[in-house]
Amino acid sequence: MGAAVLAAALAVLRERGYAGFAVEAVAARAGTTKAAVRRRWPVRQGLVIDALAAVVATPPAPDNDCTRCDLTDSVLLLARALQEELPRGVLAPLLADCAADPALHRRLVDTLIEPSRTAAATAVRRALDRRELRPETDPELFTDLLASTVYQRALFGAAPVDRATAGRLVDLLLRGVAVDFDRLVEISRLPRTARAAAHPR
């Protein structure tokens, strides 16, 4: 029953959006009752989070042996999760609905946001380990800066983040924290097999 309900919930979200989401419609589509759904998901926000979790992938951290490439890919992973995998127009009202309940809010973040953010944070730490970012760089804060443009566009309906936008964002930030930005640009243009030897030792 659980899988059928989650599939039905996702279909209702795609068809009606968050504002039109109703447990009755989910139950009817899944061939069960509202009471049965409520027993497992007492609040509709929990049902929505679990339904969305079924389509949000947990990505591996980018590892191209290239800081500039990895960080650009990290931004795109965040954008894919929020702009492509989730139905449009669902995240912002869901986030608002969960704001008053700390447990629901934490569950939303852990389920829908944290996996792609963790992949980005790993890429930032690898860049620090290669000594290609200034040693005083705060990896968590830098990850937040990478993610903030994606979150802003996903929540407020601005233009989606594509590869060109992600690249411009990464270059803007790297100019502030890279030990040698021009060198990172050179490495990003090398063939994948030649990058490891080009990093500073």
Side-chain angles (χ1 to χ4, degrees):
M1 194 265 287
V5 171
L6 293 177
L10 191 60
V12 171
L13 282 170
R14 293 192 187 284
E15 290 173 8
R16 303 185 182 185
Y18 189 76
F21 183 83
V23 175
E24 294 89 340
V26 173
R29 186 181 286 263
T32 187
T33 65
K34 178 181 176 181
V37 175
R38 287 290 194 193
R39 277 195 296 272
R40 184 158 180 182
W41 290 278
V43 295
R44 73 175 194 149
Q45 297 96 320
L47 173 57
V48 171
I49 292 169
D50 285 354
L52 296 177
V55 295
V56 174
T58 299
D63 190 7
N64 299 288
D65 222 350
C66 165
T67 290
R68 192 170 176 241
C69 310
D70 287 349
L71 297 182
T72 299
D73 284 352
S74 295
V75 174
L76 291 173
L77 286 175
L78 289 159
R80 186 173 303 118
L82 300 186
Q83 296 173 176
E84 297 177 21
E85 295 174 348
L86 298 185
R88 294 186 68 83
V90 169
L91 183 60
L94 175 61
L95 189 60
D97 244 8
C98 293
D101 185 324
L104 269 177
H105 182 265
R106 185 72 259 163
R107 184 172 163 196
L108 183 155
V109 171
D110 288 347
T111 303
L112 305 180
I113 307 297
E114 199 58 35
S116 52
R117 189 195 178 283
T118 297
T122 299
V124 171
R125 284 192 291 272
R126 284 178 179 156
L128 280 164
D129 290 343
R130 287 196 294 260
R131 301 195 301 277
E132 293 180 337
L133 304 183
R134 293 179 183 173
E136 68 272 18
T137 301
D138 181 327
E140 293 300 313
L141 181 57
F142 188 70
T143 302
D144 286 342
L145 288 170
L146 286 172
S148 60
T149 297
V150 179
Y151 296 157
Q152 191 270 339
R153 294 191 179 203
L155 291 172
F156 297 105
V161 175
D162 56 16
R163 180 165 290 278
T165 303
R168 290 196 299 274
L169 171 63
V170 167
D171 285 354
L172 179 67
L173 295 178
L174 283 179
R175 285 189 176 96
V177 300
V179 172
D180 185 345
F181 174 73
D182 292 336
R183 184 63 178 152
L184 295 185
V185 173
E186 291 175 14
I187 291 171
S188 72
R189 292 172 176 164
L190 292 173
R192 174 72 174 84
T193 53
R195 289 171 181 167
H199 293 297
R201 301 297 178 203

